[in-house]
Amino acid sequence: MTEKPVALIVLAAGQGSRMQSDLPKVLHRLGGVPLVGYALSTGRTLEPEAVVVVAGHGAEAVAKAVAKLNPEAKIALQEQQLGTGHAVSQALPQLEGFEGRVIVLYGDTPFIGQETLASLAAHPADVVVLGFEAADPGRYGRLVTGPEGLERIVEYKDADEATRAIRLVNSGVLAADAALLREFLPMIGNRNAAGEYYLTDIPELARAAGHRVEVVTCDEAETLGINTRAELAAAEAAFQVRARARALEDGVTMTDPATVWFALDTYIGRDAVIGQNVVFGPGVTVESGAEILPFCHLEGCHVSAGATVGPFARLRPGAELGGDVHVGNFVEIKNSVLDEGAKVGHLTYLGDAHVGEATNIGAGTVTCNYDGVSKHRTEIGAHAFIGSDTMLVAPVRVGARAMTGSGSVITEDVPDDALALGRAKQVVKPGLATRLMQALRQKKGN
């Protein structure tokens, strides 16, 4: 926690025309999560009193995504994109009564770290600008500092040669006291080529009024902004490299790390083993000692200690695997709980089901959970045995220690300890196969 309360303003109103997309830029996914989710996720570590996301282009879609990522976040609408200063001014009414430090982040800048945000929040200066030493300063605004802190921000086009030689540049991220923003935002002018109101005017106005203005620096990699598809791909590659390195450092074994893909919130416990070509979508937890074999796809699921998954398995949202559960090849599980020791060896679909402890599910089993309108649940008790190629037509319950015969269609509840057979009667016609083949060959010959 910081001494002052913190609020976040996340700017997410831009169209992102260079992305060549109908989708708002901040909703393009990185590590399985919309770009705007990174600022919200990292900002959450400061325990902010309030979060305001400024939406503009595709505001309805942005608001819907933000509600899933952080239900407590508020939305401010910037109907016309008139610059960063104007965007922050649209957010301030949502912070009425808040007195503390406001940090302004960008929805398309995903990699600013927790330590950097903590430094911005805790710094004693009235205004703090986030800067970085650029390998190629290019056309970034230069941060001119002196004994009294940040003296001014000089845009490239306005800089002389000596100023352009400065490598300390502006990231655009800023922290300031809420009262100061309320005082100085109305003073920002738009006398510039774009006719926009720039947040970068705040430090100069604050310094002229006698306030302390300072710079906090971070690594250049933290300030990577996403403006094009190529930059999004580069950011994805950078994210995956970091995620793999972190997993290895945390004690996870990966057979071929370069082929494992993580989401932002993937959690894998110590001594878990991950095979090659495994993809983790959002919302996955794999506990210590579990093993995910090659070519699996997991999303929105929980795998307990000692469980094994795959190869070629798919766990969809709501899949809950208990300890020592085995899920084999070409098995798909959705919104289902498998209790400890359950086994689903291969070629099976379990949807909207609960499988009891130590139950065995035979190959080709399907829970027929959808009637075209509604989903229905299947309940299978502990120590049951489901024969291969069983169709379980939900809603249906198979009791503890019960069995189903292979090839059965189960439409009614099966009591505990019972055997259920739901096959059509087999009919045998002696010699008919030979006569049919002869007739077919004769027809083909004619």
Side-chain angles (χ1 to χ4, degrees):
M1 291 291 291
T2 60
E3 293 184 2
K4 292 182 178 180
V6 173
L8 301 178
I9 295 177
V10 181
L11 305 188
Q15 180 175 0
S17 57
R18 292 170 62 192
M19 295 293 285
Q20 296 295 322
S21 175
D22 295 328
L23 189 70
K25 178 170 64 171
V26 297
L27 297 188
H28 285 267
R29 290 183 174 267
L30 172 66
V33 177
L35 284 171
V36 69
Y38 284 76
L40 296 172
S41 177
T42 309
R44 189 177 291 117
T45 63
L46 298 177
E47 299 181 21
E49 284 194 5
V51 178
V52 182
V53 177
V54 181
H57 177 72
E60 184 176 345
V62 171
K64 184 176 180 180
V66 168
K68 292 181 179 179
L69 294 163
N70 184 346
E72 297 180 358
K74 302 176 182 178
I75 300 294
L77 185 61
Q78 187 187 26
E79 294 183 355
Q80 291 181 285
Q81 278 71 70
L82 299 177
T84 52
H86 178 259
V88 173
S89 69
Q90 304 307 294
L92 279 183
Q94 300 278 14
L95 297 178
E96 184 177 355
F98 173 78
E99 299 297 335
R101 174 61 52 93
V102 177
I103 300 178
V104 180
L105 300 172
Y106 294 83
D108 62 357
T109 306
F111 293 143
I112 292 176
Q114 296 180 16
E115 292 183 3
T116 298
L117 284 190
S119 296
L120 290 169
H123 202 288
D126 301 310
V127 179
V128 186
V129 172
L130 181 63
F132 61 96
E133 294 278 348
D136 178 13
R139 303 186 70 82
Y140 285 109
R142 295 336 194 241
L143 298 180
V144 181
T145 59
E148 301 299 321
L150 179 64
E151 295 181 350
R152 61 189 186 280
I153 302 175
V154 182
E155 297 302 326
Y156 177 85
K157 64 180 182 301
D158 300 323
D160 56 27
E161 288 303 315
T163 304
R164 289 181 180 180
I166 295 173
R167 305 186 72 85
L168 182 62
V169 300
N170 182 30
S171 72
V173 172
L174 176 144
D177 289 345
L180 187 148
L181 288 175
R182 294 188 185 102
E183 179 181 356
F184 292 117
L185 275 172
M187 300 182 187
I188 293 177
N190 65 340
R191 290 188 176 182
N192 51 64
E196 295 185 347
Y197 300 87
Y198 293 132
L199 192 63
T200 49
D201 288 354
I202 290 291
E204 183 177 352
L205 291 168
R207 185 176 179 83
H211 293 280
R212 183 181 171 191
V213 182
E214 296 282 357
V215 176
V216 163
T217 60
C218 68
D219 188 85
E220 182 174 5
E222 290 189 42
T223 68
L224 176 68
I226 311 300
N227 296 297
T228 66
R229 303 275 185 164
E231 290 174 350
L232 181 63
E236 184 70 56
F239 169 81
Q240 294 300 335
V241 167
R242 295 176 189 178
R244 293 162 189 155
R246 185 168 56 251
L248 292 169
E249 290 171 1
D250 290 343
V252 176
T253 294
M254 289 189 283
T255 309
D256 186 1
T259 65
V260 178
W261 287 75
F262 292 91
L264 174 63
D265 59 355
T266 304
Y267 173 80
I268 303 178
R270 183 176 178 178
D271 290 325
V273 178
I274 310 300
Q276 62 267 38
N277 295 291
V278 172
V279 176
F280 295 102
V284 176
T285 295
V286 177
E287 291 188 11
S288 300
E291 182 172 9
I292 312 299
L293 294 166
F295 297 98
C296 291
H297 188 285
L298 294 80
E299 180 180 1
C301 61
H302 178 267
V303 180
S304 296
T308 60
V309 178
F312 296 98
R314 184 182 182 194
L315 301 185
R316 292 171 58 192
E320 292 277 345
L321 274 55
D324 298 316
V325 162
H326 170 64
V327 170
N329 52 292
F330 303 106
V331 171
E332 179 178 346
I333 299 177
K334 186 269 296 183
N335 193 32
S336 297
V337 177
L338 277 64
D339 291 341
E340 184 174 359
K343 290 179 172 56
V344 191
H346 34 250
L347 302 165
T348 290
Y349 170 70
L350 298 179
D352 301 292
H354 184 182
V355 178
E357 177 183 356
T359 284
N360 185 85
I361 306 294
T365 296
V366 175
T367 56
C368 307
N369 58 325
Y370 184 50
D371 63 8
V373 178
S374 302
K375 298 290 181 69
H376 302 281
R377 290 195 63 79
T378 297
E379 299 286 339
I380 304 173
H383 300 276
F385 184 93
I386 306 300
S388 296
D389 203 28
T390 295
M391 301 291 111
L392 298 162
V393 183
V396 69
R397 179 185 181 276
V398 177
R401 301 170 303 281
M403 300 177 68
T404 66
S406 297
S408 293
V409 178
I410 304 300
T411 59
E412 298 178 1
D413 289 353
V414 180
D416 294 352
D417 303 298
L419 168 65
L421 298 171
R423 306 169 183 154
K425 183 178 179 180
Q426 181 173 319
V427 177
V428 178
K429 302 288 185 179
L432 182 58
T434 300
R435 294 196 297 274
L436 285 173
M437 291 301 296
Q438 290 173 345
L440 289 171
R441 290 190 187 103
Q442 184 178 9
K443 182 178 181 181
K444 185 177 180 181
N446 293 337

CSV table of all heavy atoms in Angstrom, one decimal, residues 337-389:
chain,number,residue,atom,x,y,z
A,337,VAL,N,-16.9,-31.5,-13.4
A,337,VAL,CA,-16.1,-31.8,-12.3
A,337,VAL,C,-15.7,-33.3,-12.3
A,337,VAL,O,-16.6,-34.1,-12.3
A,337,VAL,CB,-16.7,-31.4,-11.0
A,337,VAL,CG1,-15.9,-31.8,-9.8
A,337,VAL,CG2,-17.1,-29.9,-10.9
A,338,LEU,N,-14.5,-33.6,-12.2
A,338,LEU,CA,-14.0,-35.0,-12.1
A,338,LEU,C,-13.4,-35.1,-10.7
A,338,LEU,O,-12.3,-34.5,-10.4
A,338,LEU,CB,-13.0,-35.4,-13.2
A,338,LEU,CG,-13.6,-35.8,-14.6
A,338,LEU,CD1,-14.3,-34.6,-15.2
A,338,LEU,CD2,-12.5,-36.2,-15.5
A,339,ASP,N,-14.0,-36.0,-9.9
A,339,ASP,CA,-13.4,-36.1,-8.5
A,339,ASP,C,-12.1,-37.0,-8.5
A,339,ASP,O,-11.8,-37.6,-9.6
A,339,ASP,CB,-14.5,-36.8,-7.6
A,339,ASP,CG,-15.7,-35.9,-7.3
A,339,ASP,OD1,-15.5,-34.6,-7.5
A,339,ASP,OD2,-16.7,-36.4,-6.9
A,340,GLU,N,-11.5,-37.1,-7.4
A,340,GLU,CA,-10.2,-37.7,-7.3
A,340,GLU,C,-10.2,-39.1,-7.9
A,340,GLU,O,-11.0,-39.9,-7.6
A,340,GLU,CB,-9.8,-37.7,-5.8
A,340,GLU,CG,-8.4,-38.3,-5.6
A,340,GLU,CD,-8.0,-38.2,-4.1
A,340,GLU,OE1,-8.8,-37.6,-3.3
A,340,GLU,OE2,-6.8,-38.6,-3.8
A,341,GLY,N,-9.1,-39.3,-8.7
A,341,GLY,CA,-8.9,-40.7,-9.2
A,341,GLY,C,-9.8,-41.1,-10.4
A,341,GLY,O,-9.6,-42.2,-10.9
A,342,ALA,N,-10.6,-40.2,-10.9
A,342,ALA,CA,-11.4,-40.6,-12.0
A,342,ALA,C,-10.5,-40.7,-13.2
A,342,ALA,O,-9.5,-40.0,-13.4
A,342,ALA,CB,-12.5,-39.5,-12.3
A,343,LYS,N,-11.0,-41.6,-14.2
A,343,LYS,CA,-10.2,-41.8,-15.4
A,343,LYS,C,-11.1,-41.7,-16.6
A,343,LYS,O,-12.1,-42.3,-16.7
A,343,LYS,CB,-9.5,-43.2,-15.3
A,343,LYS,CG,-8.4,-43.3,-14.2
A,343,LYS,CD,-7.8,-44.7,-14.2
A,343,LYS,CE,-6.6,-44.8,-13.3
A,343,LYS,NZ,-6.9,-44.3,-11.9
A,344,VAL,N,-10.6,-40.9,-17.6
A,344,VAL,CA,-11.2,-40.7,-18.9
A,344,VAL,C,-10.2,-41.0,-19.9
A,344,VAL,O,-9.5,-40.0,-20.3
A,344,VAL,CB,-11.9,-39.4,-19.0
A,344,VAL,CG1,-12.8,-39.3,-20.2
A,344,VAL,CG2,-12.6,-39.0,-17.7
A,345,GLY,N,-10.0,-42.2,-20.4
A,345,GLY,CA,-8.8,-42.5,-21.1
A,345,GLY,C,-8.7,-42.0,-22.5
A,345,GLY,O,-7.7,-41.5,-22.9
A,346,HIS,N,-9.8,-42.0,-23.3
A,346,HIS,CA,-9.7,-41.5,-24.7
A,346,HIS,C,-11.0,-41.4,-25.4
A,346,HIS,O,-12.0,-42.0,-25.0
A,346,HIS,CB,-8.8,-42.5,-25.5
A,346,HIS,CG,-8.9,-43.9,-25.1
A,346,HIS,ND1,-7.9,-44.6,-24.4
A,346,HIS,CD2,-9.9,-44.8,-25.2
A,346,HIS,CE1,-8.3,-45.8,-24.2
A,346,HIS,NE2,-9.5,-46.0,-24.6
A,347,LEU,N,-11.0,-40.5,-26.4
A,347,LEU,CA,-12.1,-40.4,-27.3
A,347,LEU,C,-13.5,-40.2,-26.6
A,347,LEU,O,-14.5,-40.8,-26.9
A,347,LEU,CB,-12.2,-41.7,-28.2
A,347,LEU,CG,-10.9,-42.0,-29.0
A,347,LEU,CD1,-11.0,-43.4,-29.5
A,347,LEU,CD2,-10.8,-41.0,-30.1
A,348,THR,N,-13.5,-39.2,-25.8
A,348,THR,CA,-14.7,-38.9,-25.0
A,348,THR,C,-15.0,-37.4,-24.9
A,348,THR,O,-14.1,-36.6,-24.9
A,348,THR,CB,-14.5,-39.5,-23.5
A,348,THR,OG1,-14.5,-40.9,-23.6
A,348,THR,CG2,-15.6,-39.1,-22.6
A,349,TYR,N,-16.3,-37.1,-24.8
A,349,TYR,CA,-16.8,-35.8,-24.5
A,349,TYR,C,-17.6,-35.8,-23.2
A,349,TYR,O,-18.6,-36.5,-23.1
A,349,TYR,CB,-17.6,-35.2,-25.6
A,349,TYR,CG,-18.3,-33.9,-25.3
A,349,TYR,CD1,-17.5,-32.7,-25.1
A,349,TYR,CD2,-19.6,-33.8,-25.0
A,349,TYR,CE1,-18.1,-31.5,-24.7
A,349,TYR,CE2,-20.2,-32.6,-24.6
A,349,TYR,CZ,-19.4,-31.5,-24.5
A,349,TYR,OH,-20.0,-30.3,-24.1
A,350,LEU,N,-17.2,-35.0,-22.2
A,350,LEU,CA,-17.9,-34.7,-21.0
A,350,LEU,C,-18.3,-33.3,-20.9
A,350,LEU,O,-17.4,-32.4,-20.8
A,350,LEU,CB,-17.1,-35.2,-19.8
A,350,LEU,CG,-16.7,-36.6,-19.7
A,350,LEU,CD1,-15.8,-36.9,-18.4
A,350,LEU,CD2,-17.9,-37.6,-19.7
A,351,GLY,N,-19.6,-33.0,-21.0
A,351,GLY,CA,-20.0,-31.6,-20.9
A,351,GLY,C,-21.1,-31.5,-19.8
A,351,GLY,O,-22.0,-32.3,-19.8
A,352,ASP,N,-21.0,-30.5,-18.9
A,352,ASP,CA,-22.0,-30.3,-17.9
A,352,ASP,C,-22.2,-31.6,-17.1
A,352,ASP,O,-23.4,-32.1,-16.9
A,352,ASP,CB,-23.3,-29.8,-18.5
A,352,ASP,CG,-23.2,-28.5,-19.3
A,352,ASP,OD1,-22.9,-27.5,-18.7
A,352,ASP,OD2,-23.3,-28.6,-20.5
A,353,ALA,N,-21.1,-32.1,-16.5
A,353,ALA,CA,-21.2,-33.4,-15.8
A,353,ALA,C,-20.4,-33.3,-14.5
A,353,ALA,O,-19.6,-32.5,-14.3
A,353,ALA,CB,-20.6,-34.5,-16.7
A,354,HIS,N,-20.8,-34.3,-13.7
A,354,HIS,CA,-20.0,-34.5,-12.4
A,354,HIS,C,-19.7,-36.0,-12.4
A,354,HIS,O,-20.6,-36.8,-12.4
A,354,HIS,CB,-20.8,-34.1,-11.2
A,354,HIS,CG,-20.0,-34.2,-9.9
A,354,HIS,ND1,-20.6,-33.9,-8.7
A,354,HIS,CD2,-18.8,-34.6,-9.6
A,354,HIS,CE1,-19.7,-34.1,-7.7
A,354,HIS,NE2,-18.6,-34.6,-8.3
A,355,VAL,N,-18.4,-36.3,-12.3
A,355,VAL,CA,-17.9,-37.7,-12.3
A,355,VAL,C,-17.3,-38.0,-10.9
A,355,VAL,O,-16.4,-37.3,-10.5
A,355,VAL,CB,-16.9,-37.9,-13.4
A,355,VAL,CG1,-16.4,-39.4,-13.3
A,355,VAL,CG2,-17.5,-37.6,-14.8
A,356,GLY,N,-17.8,-39.0,-10.3
A,356,GLY,CA,-17.4,-39.3,-8.9
A,356,GLY,C,-16.0,-39.9,-8.8
A,356,GLY,O,-15.4,-40.3,-9.8
A,357,GLU,N,-15.6,-40.1,-7.6
A,357,GLU,CA,-14.3,-40.6,-7.3
A,357,GLU,C,-14.0,-42.0,-7.8
A,357,GLU,O,-14.9,-42.8,-7.8
A,357,GLU,CB,-14.1,-40.6,-5.7
A,357,GLU,CG,-12.8,-41.2,-5.2
A,357,GLU,CD,-12.8,-41.3,-3.7
A,357,GLU,OE1,-13.8,-40.8,-3.1
A,357,GLU,OE2,-11.8,-41.8,-3.2
A,358,ALA,N,-12.9,-42.1,-8.5
A,358,ALA,CA,-12.4,-43.4,-9.0
A,358,ALA,C,-13.3,-44.0,-10.0
A,358,ALA,O,-13.2,-45.2,-10.3
A,358,ALA,CB,-12.2,-44.4,-7.8
A,359,THR,N,-14.1,-43.3,-10.6
A,359,THR,CA,-15.0,-43.8,-11.7
A,359,THR,C,-14.2,-43.9,-13.0
A,359,THR,O,-13.3,-43.0,-13.3
A,359,THR,CB,-16.2,-42.9,-11.9
A,359,THR,OG1,-17.1,-43.1,-10.8
A,359,THR,CG2,-16.9,-43.1,-13.2
A,360,ASN,N,-14.5,-44.9,-13.8
A,360,ASN,CA,-13.8,-45.1,-15.1
A,360,ASN,C,-14.8,-44.8,-16.2
A,360,ASN,O,-15.9,-45.4,-16.2
A,360,ASN,CB,-13.3,-46.5,-15.2
A,360,ASN,CG,-12.5,-46.7,-16.5
A,360,ASN,OD1,-11.3,-46.4,-16.5
A,360,ASN,ND2,-13.1,-47.2,-17.5
A,361,ILE,N,-14.4,-43.9,-17.1
A,361,ILE,CA,-15.2,-43.6,-18.3
A,361,ILE,C,-14.6,-44.2,-19.5
A,361,ILE,O,-13.5,-43.9,-19.9
A,361,ILE,CB,-15.3,-42.1,-18.5
A,361,ILE,CG1,-15.7,-41.4,-17.2
A,361,ILE,CG2,-16.2,-41.7,-19.7
A,361,ILE,CD1,-17.1,-41.6,-16.8
A,362,GLY,N,-15.3,-45.2,-20.2
A,362,GLY,CA,-14.8,-45.9,-21.3
A,362,GLY,C,-14.7,-45.0,-22.6
A,362,GLY,O,-15.3,-44.0,-22.7
A,363,ALA,N,-13.9,-45.5,-23.5
A,363,ALA,CA,-13.7,-44.8,-24.8
A,363,ALA,C,-15.0,-44.6,-25.5
A,363,ALA,O,-15.9,-45.4,-25.5
A,363,ALA,CB,-12.7,-45.6,-25.6
A,364,GLY,N,-15.1,-43.4,-26.1
A,364,GLY,CA,-16.3,-43.1,-26.9
A,364,GLY,C,-17.5,-42.7,-26.2
A,364,GLY,O,-18.6,-42.5,-26.8
A,365,THR,N,-17.4,-42.4,-24.9
A,365,THR,CA,-18.5,-42.0,-24.1
A,365,THR,C,-18.8,-40.5,-24.4
A,365,THR,O,-17.9,-39.7,-24.5
A,365,THR,CB,-18.2,-42.1,-22.6
A,365,THR,OG1,-18.0,-43.5,-22.3
A,365,THR,CG2,-19.3,-41.5,-21.7
A,366,VAL,N,-20.1,-40.2,-24.5
A,366,VAL,CA,-20.6,-38.9,-24.8
A,366,VAL,C,-21.7,-38.5,-23.8
A,366,VAL,O,-22.6,-39.3,-23.6
A,366,VAL,CB,-21.1,-38.7,-26.2
A,366,VAL,CG1,-21.7,-37.3,-26.4
A,366,VAL,CG2,-20.0,-38.9,-27.2
A,367,THR,N,-21.6,-37.4,-23.1
A,367,THR,CA,-22.7,-36.8,-22.4
A,367,THR,C,-23.5,-36.0,-23.3
A,367,THR,O,-23.0,-34.9,-23.8
A,367,THR,CB,-22.2,-36.0,-21.2
A,367,THR,OG1,-21.4,-35.0,-21.6
A,367,THR,CG2,-21.5,-36.8,-20.1
A,368,CYS,N,-24.7,-36.4,-23.7
A,368,CYS,CA,-25.6,-35.7,-24.6
A,368,CYS,C,-26.3,-34.6,-23.8
A,368,CYS,O,-27.4,-34.8,-23.3
A,368,CYS,CB,-26.5,-36.6,-25.3
A,368,CYS,SG,-25.7,-38.1,-26.0
A,369,ASN,N,-25.6,-33.4,-23.7
A,369,ASN,CA,-26.0,-32.4,-22.7
A,369,ASN,C,-26.9,-31.3,-23.3
A,369,ASN,O,-27.4,-30.5,-22.6
A,369,ASN,CB,-24.8,-31.8,-22.1
A,369,ASN,CG,-23.9,-31.1,-23.1
A,369,ASN,OD1,-23.7,-31.6,-24.2
A,369,ASN,ND2,-23.2,-30.0,-22.7
A,370,TYR,N,-27.1,-31.3,-24.6
A,370,TYR,CA,-27.8,-30.1,-25.3
A,370,TYR,C,-28.9,-30.6,-26.1
A,370,TYR,O,-28.8,-31.5,-27.0
A,370,TYR,CB,-26.8,-29.4,-26.1
A,370,TYR,CG,-27.3,-28.1,-26.8
A,370,TYR,CD1,-28.0,-27.1,-26.0
A,370,TYR,CD2,-27.1,-27.9,-28.1
A,370,TYR,CE1,-28.5,-26.0,-26.6
A,370,TYR,CE2,-27.6,-26.7,-28.7
A,370,TYR,CZ,-28.3,-25.8,-28.0
A,370,TYR,OH,-28.8,-24.6,-28.5
A,371,ASP,N,-30.1,-30.1,-25.8
A,371,ASP,CA,-31.3,-30.6,-26.5
A,371,ASP,C,-31.7,-29.6,-27.6
A,371,ASP,O,-32.8,-29.7,-28.2
A,371,ASP,CB,-32.5,-30.8,-25.5
A,371,ASP,CG,-32.9,-29.5,-24.8
A,371,ASP,OD1,-32.4,-28.4,-25.2
A,371,ASP,OD2,-33.7,-29.6,-23.9
A,372,GLY,N,-30.9,-28.7,-28.0
A,372,GLY,CA,-31.2,-27.7,-29.0
A,372,GLY,C,-31.6,-26.4,-28.4
A,372,GLY,O,-31.6,-25.3,-29.1
A,373,VAL,N,-32.0,-26.4,-27.1
A,373,VAL,CA,-32.5,-25.1,-26.5
A,373,VAL,C,-31.7,-24.9,-25.2
A,373,VAL,O,-31.2,-23.9,-24.9
A,373,VAL,CB,-34.0,-25.2,-26.2
A,373,VAL,CG1,-34.4,-23.9,-25.4
A,373,VAL,CG2,-34.8,-25.3,-27.5
A,374,SER,N,-31.6,-26.0,-24.3
A,374,SER,CA,-31.0,-25.9,-23.0
A,374,SER,C,-29.9,-26.9,-22.8
A,374,SER,O,-29.9,-28.0,-23.4
A,374,SER,CB,-32.1,-26.0,-21.9
A,374,SER,OG,-33.1,-25.0,-22.1
A,375,LYS,N,-29.0,-26.6,-21.9
A,375,LYS,CA,-28.0,-27.6,-21.4
A,375,LYS,C,-28.5,-28.3,-20.2
A,375,LYS,O,-29.2,-27.8,-19.3
A,375,LYS,CB,-26.7,-26.9,-21.1
A,375,LYS,CG,-26.1,-26.1,-22.3
A,375,LYS,CD,-25.5,-27.0,-23.3
A,375,LYS,CE,-24.9,-26.3,-24.5
A,375,LYS,NZ,-23.6,-25.6,-24.1
A,376,HIS,N,-28.2,-29.6,-20.1
A,376,HIS,CA,-28.6,-30.5,-19.0
A,376,HIS,C,-27.4,-31.2,-18.4
A,376,HIS,O,-26.4,-31.5,-19.1
A,376,HIS,CB,-29.7,-31.5,-19.5
A,376,HIS,CG,-30.9,-30.8,-20.1
A,376,HIS,ND1,-31.9,-30.2,-19.4
A,376,HIS,CD2,-31.2,-30.6,-21.4
A,376,HIS,CE1,-32.8,-29.7,-20.2
A,376,HIS,NE2,-32.4,-29.9,-21.4
A,377,ARG,N,-27.5,-31.6,-17.1
A,377,ARG,CA,-26.4,-32.2,-16.4
A,377,ARG,C,-26.5,-33.7,-16.4
A,377,ARG,O,-27.6,-34.3,-16.3
A,377,ARG,CB,-26.3,-31.6,-15.0
A,377,ARG,CG,-25.8,-30.2,-15.0
A,377,ARG,CD,-25.3,-29.7,-13.6
A,377,ARG,NE,-24.2,-30.5,-13.2
A,377,ARG,CZ,-22.9,-30.2,-13.6
A,377,ARG,NH1,-22.7,-29.2,-14.5
A,377,ARG,NH2,-21.9,-30.9,-13.1
A,378,THR,N,-25.3,-34.3,-16.3
A,378,THR,CA,-25.1,-35.7,-16.1
A,378,THR,C,-24.4,-35.9,-14.8
A,378,THR,O,-23.3,-35.3,-14.6
A,378,THR,CB,-24.3,-36.4,-17.2
A,378,THR,OG1,-25.0,-36.2,-18.5
A,378,THR,CG2,-24.1,-37.8,-17.0
A,379,GLU,N,-24.9,-36.8,-13.9
A,379,GLU,CA,-24.3,-37.1,-12.6
A,379,GLU,C,-23.9,-38.6,-12.6
A,379,GLU,O,-24.7,-39.4,-12.9
A,379,GLU,CB,-25.3,-36.8,-11.5
A,379,GLU,CG,-25.7,-35.4,-11.3
A,379,GLU,CD,-24.6,-34.5,-10.8
A,379,GLU,OE1,-23.7,-35.0,-10.1
A,379,GLU,OE2,-24.7,-33.2,-11.0
A,380,ILE,N,-22.6,-38.8,-12.4
A,380,ILE,CA,-22.1,-40.2,-12.3
A,380,ILE,C,-21.5,-40.4,-10.9
A,380,ILE,O,-20.6,-39.6,-10.5
A,380,ILE,CB,-21.1,-40.4,-13.4
A,380,ILE,CG1,-21.7,-40.1,-14.8
A,380,ILE,CG2,-20.5,-41.9,-13.4
A,380,ILE,CD1,-20.7,-40.2,-15.9
A,381,GLY,N,-21.9,-41.4,-10.2
A,381,GLY,CA,-21.4,-41.6,-8.9
A,381,GLY,C,-20.0,-42.1,-8.8
A,381,GLY,O,-19.4,-42.4,-9.8
A,382,ALA,N,-19.5,-42.3,-7.5
A,382,ALA,CA,-18.2,-42.8,-7.3
A,382,ALA,C,-18.1,-44.3,-7.6
A,382,ALA,O,-19.1,-45.0,-7.5
A,382,ALA,CB,-17.8,-42.6,-5.8
A,383,HIS,N,-16.9,-44.7,-8.1
A,383,HIS,CA,-16.6,-46.1,-8.4
A,383,HIS,C,-17.5,-46.7,-9.4
A,383,HIS,O,-17.7,-47.9,-9.4
A,383,HIS,CB,-16.6,-46.9,-7.1
A,383,HIS,CG,-15.6,-46.4,-6.1
A,383,HIS,ND1,-14.3,-46.8,-6.1
A,383,HIS,CD2,-15.7,-45.6,-5.0
A,383,HIS,CE1,-13.6,-46.2,-5.1
A,383,HIS,NE2,-14.5,-45.4,-4.4
A,384,ALA,N,-18.1,-45.8,-10.3
A,384,ALA,CA,-18.9,-46.4,-11.4
A,384,ALA,C,-18.0,-46.8,-12.5
A,384,ALA,O,-16.8,-46.4,-12.6
A,384,ALA,CB,-19.9,-45.3,-11.8
A,385,PHE,N,-18.6,-47.6,-13.5
A,385,PHE,CA,-17.9,-48.0,-14.7
A,385,PHE,C,-18.8,-47.7,-15.9
A,385,PHE,O,-19.9,-48.3,-16.0
A,385,PHE,CB,-17.6,-49.5,-14.6
A,385,PHE,CG,-16.7,-50.0,-15.7
A,385,PHE,CD1,-15.4,-50.0,-15.7
A,385,PHE,CD2,-17.4,-50.4,-16.9
A,385,PHE,CE1,-14.6,-50.4,-16.8
A,385,PHE,CE2,-16.6,-50.8,-18.0
A,385,PHE,CZ,-15.2,-50.8,-17.9
A,386,ILE,N,-18.4,-46.8,-16.7
A,386,ILE,CA,-19.1,-46.5,-17.9
A,386,ILE,C,-18.5,-47.2,-19.1
A,386,ILE,O,-17.4,-46.9,-19.5
A,386,ILE,CB,-19.2,-44.9,-18.1
A,386,ILE,CG1,-19.7,-44.2,-16.9
A,386,ILE,CG2,-20.0,-44.6,-19.4
A,386,ILE,CD1,-21.0,-44.6,-16.4
A,387,GLY,N,-19.3,-48.1,-19.7
A,387,GLY,CA,-18.7,-48.9,-20.8
A,387,GLY,C,-18.5,-48.1,-22.0
A,387,GLY,O,-19.1,-47.0,-22.2
A,388,SER,N,-17.6,-48.6,-22.8
A,388,SER,CA,-17.2,-47.8,-24.1
A,388,SER,C,-18.4,-47.5,-24.9
A,388,SER,O,-19.3,-48.3,-25.0
A,388,SER,CB,-16.2,-48.7,-24.9
A,388,SER,OG,-15.0,-48.8,-24.1
A,389,ASP,N,-18.4,-46.4,-25.6
A,389,ASP,CA,-19.4,-46.0,-26.5
A,389,ASP,C,-20.8,-45.8,-25.9
A,389,ASP,O,-21.8,-46.1,-26.5
A,389,ASP,CB,-19.5,-47.0,-27.7
A,389,ASP,CG,-20.1,-46.3,-28.9
A,389,ASP,OD1,-20.0,-45.1,-29.1
A,389,ASP,OD2,-20.7,-47.1,-29.8
